[in-house]
């Protein structure tokens, strides 16, 4: 298997919005490339008349985007939403603001990650886990 065709996987969960994958510039990854995180299970598609399974589709856990690329790894973040996100802290609704690399106010949507595997800073039903396969979206 050539270096450009390696199977990309989640190798580190930094927090609820950030993961690291095991591919980088050597594999042709560029800033803002979009990836889908795949569930290990496939979704069976049945013929409605015969009830026969006629194929399987990938089940997507979530999408991530390349934000910082290194030769052999990439830091990826969840979708960035412009504007403000209402958050409740100690029963008081506040507006959480973050800024993208362009200075645009907004926030990163939280990924459904395995909380026990977060090692960094404090839509499948399965949480994103180390070892999950990642596919670049063309």
């Amino acid at each position: 298997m050539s270096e450009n065709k390696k199977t990309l996987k989640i190798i580190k969960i930094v927090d609820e919005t950030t993961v690291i994958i095991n591919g980088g510039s050597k594999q042709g990854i560029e800033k803002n490339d979009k990836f889908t995180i795949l569930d290990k299970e496939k979704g069976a598609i049945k013929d409605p008349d015969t009830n026969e399974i006629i194929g399987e589709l990938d089940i997507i856990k979530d999408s991530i985007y390349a934000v910082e690329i290194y030769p052999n790894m990439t830091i990826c973040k969840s979708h960035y939403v412009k504007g403000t996100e209402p958050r409740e802290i100690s029963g008081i609704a506040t507006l959480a603001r973050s800024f993208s690399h362009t200075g645009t106010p907004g926030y990163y949507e939280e990924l459904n990650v395995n909380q026990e595997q977060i090692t960094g800073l404090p839509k499948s039903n399965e949480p994103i886990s180390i070892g999950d396969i990642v596919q670049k979206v063309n």
Side-chain angles (χ1 to χ4, degrees):
M1 178 178 286
S2 77
E3 197 167 18
N4 286 340
K5 297 294 181 185
K6 77 184 284 183
T7 300
L8 299 174
K9 294 184 178 184
I10 304 288
I11 58 170
K12 184 171 183 72
I13 298 171
V14 178
D15 59 30
E16 288 87 352
T17 65
T18 312
V19 297
I20 300 174
I21 63 173
N22 65 338
S25 59
K26 286 185 177 182
Q27 290 75 35
I29 295 174
E30 298 177 357
K31 190 167 185 142
N32 297 321
D33 279 352
K34 181 180 179 180
F35 301 88
T36 54
I37 303 168
L38 303 179
D39 196 308
K40 290 179 175 105
E41 301 294 320
K42 300 267 188 189
I45 305 300
K46 293 183 179 183
D47 182 295
D49 295 325
T50 65
N51 209 28
E52 174 187 352
I53 295 175
I54 57 174
E56 294 182 326
L57 296 176
D58 289 328
I59 297 174
I60 296 172
K61 290 185 174 187
D62 222 320
S63 296
I64 52 176
Y65 300 84
V67 295
E68 210 169 321
I69 295 91
Y70 297 87
N72 294 301
M73 67 180 189
T74 299
I75 297 174
C76 297
K77 302 232 6 123
S78 59
H79 178 68
Y80 190 78
V81 180
K82 293 178 184 175
T84 56
E85 173 190 24
R87 291 208 178 182
E88 192 171 302
I89 301 172
S90 301
I92 301 169
T94 62
L95 293 178
R97 291 180 72 110
S98 175
F99 291 89
S100 72
H101 62 280
T102 62
T104 307
Y107 64 96
Y108 288 100
E109 292 179 342
E110 287 190 358
L111 299 167
N112 180 19
V113 299
N114 184 331
Q115 296 289 320
E116 294 174 1
Q117 293 180 342
I118 293 176
T119 57
L121 302 173
K123 297 237 175 187
S124 168
N125 292 329
E126 293 299 313
I128 295 166
S129 299
I130 291 171
D132 280 352
I133 294 174
V134 176
Q135 282 187 336
K136 184 176 176 181
V137 177
N138 295 330

